[in-house]
Amino acid sequence: MEVQTIMVVGAGQMGSGIAQVCAMAGYDVILHDLKEEFIDRGMNIIRKNLQRQIQKGVLTEESIQQILNRIATSTDLQNAQKVDLVIEAAMENMDVKTTLFSQLDKIAPDHTILATNTSSLPITEIAAATNRPEKIIGMHFMNPVPVMKLVEIIRGLATGDEVYAAIHTITEKLNKIPVEVNDFPGFVSNRILMPMINEAVFTLYEGVATKEAIDEVMKLGMNHPMGPLTLADFIGLDTCLYIMETLHEGLGEDKYRPCPLLRKYVKAGWLGRKTGRGFYEYK
Ligand code: CAA
C-alpha cells in the first residue's frame, strides 16, 4: 500500500503538528479545514515550530522552505480525491466525526485509508459510518506532536491487517514509535492518564493540597515533566472532561466519574492555556 499524499483534516494544534511531521518525513500534505483563517493559524504554528529548529541549527532556511512547499492547503473536502491517506484531527465529537467519515468515504479513492486522531472515541463506530470499515484505523498522536514519540495505533473491529501494517510503517517514517492497542474507551493512553488528572482535580477539590503542591509532588516525586493540573491546562479542560465522560459512559464504573470542579471550570469557560485561564492563569 504506497502512500505519498496525505490529507490532514483540522488545522488546530494537533492537525498542524501532524501536517508538520508528515511534510518533514517527505510526504505531500494537504492541510484541510473549514475556513481560511483556521488554516492560516495552523500554518503559523508550523512556521513558528520550524523556525525554532533553525535557531537550534537542526534545519536550514532552505530545508524549511522545502518542507513548507510540500504542504498545500484546502477548504474543499473534494481534495480528498487526490490522497492515499486521510488523518482526521477535527473536533472531538462523534456526530462531527461520523458525518466527516461518511463524506470522506464517498469522496476518497477506494484504496485510501481513513485514519482518525481521536483521543477516546470508538474507531469501530466511526468505521460503521463508512462502506470501508477495513480501511478505518485510529492514529492517536500526543501533544505537542513534533516532540512526542508515541502514536497509539488503534484497530477497529474490522481494520484490515494490511492497513495496520501500512500505518505502522508510515508512523515509523514520521520518526515516531507506533504502539498497537485495541478499541476500548480511552484506548491505553487516556484510560490511564485521564483518571490520574481527574484524581488530581479531586485532590484539589477536597483541599488536600494547593494546585502548586499537587503539581510539585508529581513532578519531583514521580519525574513527570509537568504536574497533572498543568498538563490538564495544556491539553484543555474541555477535552479532559469529554474524555472522562467517554470513559464513564463507555466503561460504566463510578471510578471514572468526572470531578465536579472540572465540570465547573469548563462551564466557566476556564479551559486552560487556550483561553488564558484554567487551573492557572496564562498571559
Ligand atoms: N510544539 C512543538 N515543540 C515544542 C512545543 C510545542 N508546543 N513545546 C515544546 N516544544 C519543544 C521545544 O522546542 C524543545 O525542543 P528541543 O528539545 O529540540 O530543544 C522541547 O520541546 C522541550 O521544550 P522546552 O525545553 O521548552 O520545555 P520542556 O522541557 O518543559 O518540555 C514539553 C515541554 C515537551 C511539553 C514537556 O513539558 C512535556 O513532555 N510535557 C508533557 C506532555 C504530555 O504529557 N503530552 C501528552 C498529553 S496527552 C495527549 O496528547 C493525548 C490526549 O489525547 C489528551
Side-chain angles (χ1 to χ4, degrees):
M1 229 175 244
E2 198 52 48
V3 168
Q4 184 47 43
T5 308
I6 301 175
M7 173 182 265
V8 178
V9 176
Q13 191 72 36
M14 296 303 285
S16 60
I18 296 168
Q20 179 188 324
V21 296
C22 291
M24 287 176 81
Y27 291 104
D28 296 320
V29 178
I30 300 177
L31 181 58
H32 173 89
D33 210 319
L34 296 172
K35 291 186 186 167
E36 290 289 348
E37 62 184 280
F38 300 155
I39 306 261
D40 290 346
R41 208 159 49 199
M43 288 304 294
N44 280 337
I45 297 175
I46 295 174
R47 273 190 215 99
K48 224 186 266 173
N49 280 341
L50 292 174
Q51 284 297 333
R52 261 208 308 257
Q53 304 294 320
I54 295 193
Q55 284 145 22
K56 284 188 237 147
V58 178
L59 292 175
T60 61
E61 194 66 65
E62 193 191 351
S63 58
I64 285 191
Q65 207 43 57
Q66 284 166 356
I67 293 166
L68 290 172
N69 287 345
R70 281 198 283 274
I71 308 178
T73 60
S74 150
T75 51
D76 181 357
L77 206 59
Q78 292 297 328
N79 286 315
Q81 281 171 13
K82 305 171 199 162
V83 308
D84 310 305
L85 167 65
V86 177
I87 306 176
E88 172 275 327
M91 233 175 113
E92 200 61 359
N93 173 293
M94 190 46 111
D95 289 341
V96 170
K97 296 215 191 270
T98 48
T99 304
L100 202 48
F101 272 73
S102 152
Q103 289 170 333
L104 287 166
D105 185 35
K106 293 188 183 82
I107 299 168
D110 288 347
H111 74 276
T112 303
I113 299 173
L114 305 180
T116 171
N117 177 54
T118 180
S119 50
S120 63
L121 294 171
I123 309 303
T124 306
E125 196 175 331
I126 295 171
T130 73
N131 288 315
R132 62 177 91 192
E134 73 290 351
K135 293 205 172 66
I136 312 298
I137 192 160
M139 239 183 142
H140 183 209
F141 291 80
M142 302 292 127
N143 188 15
V145 177
V147 180
M148 306 301 279
K149 280 287 173 198
L150 173 70
V151 182
E152 258 185 325
I153 312 288
I154 307 111
R155 281 179 183 262
L157 205 54
T159 306
D161 287 341
E162 342 63 85
V163 169
Y164 177 81
I167 293 299
H168 190 279
T169 303
I170 291 164
T171 302
E172 286 180 335
K173 281 197 191 149
L174 300 181
N175 199 22
K176 306 276 178 211
I177 296 169
V179 176
E180 180 182 353
V181 311
N182 283 320
D183 188 19
F184 284 93
F187 317 129
V188 171
S189 56
N190 282 322
R191 171 104 176 233
I192 297 173
L193 175 67
M194 285 304 158
M196 184 198 71
I197 287 178
N198 196 45
E199 200 58 33
V201 185
F202 268 114
T203 309
L204 179 66
Y205 179 60
E206 290 169 12
V208 180
T210 63
K211 54 183 185 288
E212 292 85 1
I214 293 165
D215 277 348
E216 280 299 272
V217 166
M218 298 306 286
K219 267 175 69 177
L220 302 180
M222 285 76 193
N223 243 356
H224 290 192
M226 286 173 165
L229 300 172
T230 305
L231 181 57
D233 278 356
F234 180 67
I235 293 168
L237 302 194
D238 50 342
T239 304
C240 295
L241 177 59
Y242 191 77
I243 296 171
M244 281 312 295
E245 282 171 337
T246 304
L247 291 174
H248 197 206
E249 193 194 317
L251 298 165
E253 292 194 47
D254 275 356
K255 66 178 178 179
Y256 301 112
R257 178 174 71 99
C259 178
L261 189 63
L262 182 60
R263 284 193 191 284
K264 196 176 200 170
Y265 276 33
V266 171
K267 285 213 173 102
W270 295 6
L271 306 183
R273 275 198 199 187
K274 62 186 167 189
T275 57
R277 180 163 197 171
F279 292 105
Y280 297 91
E281 284 188 61
Y282 302 87
K283 294 276 175 315

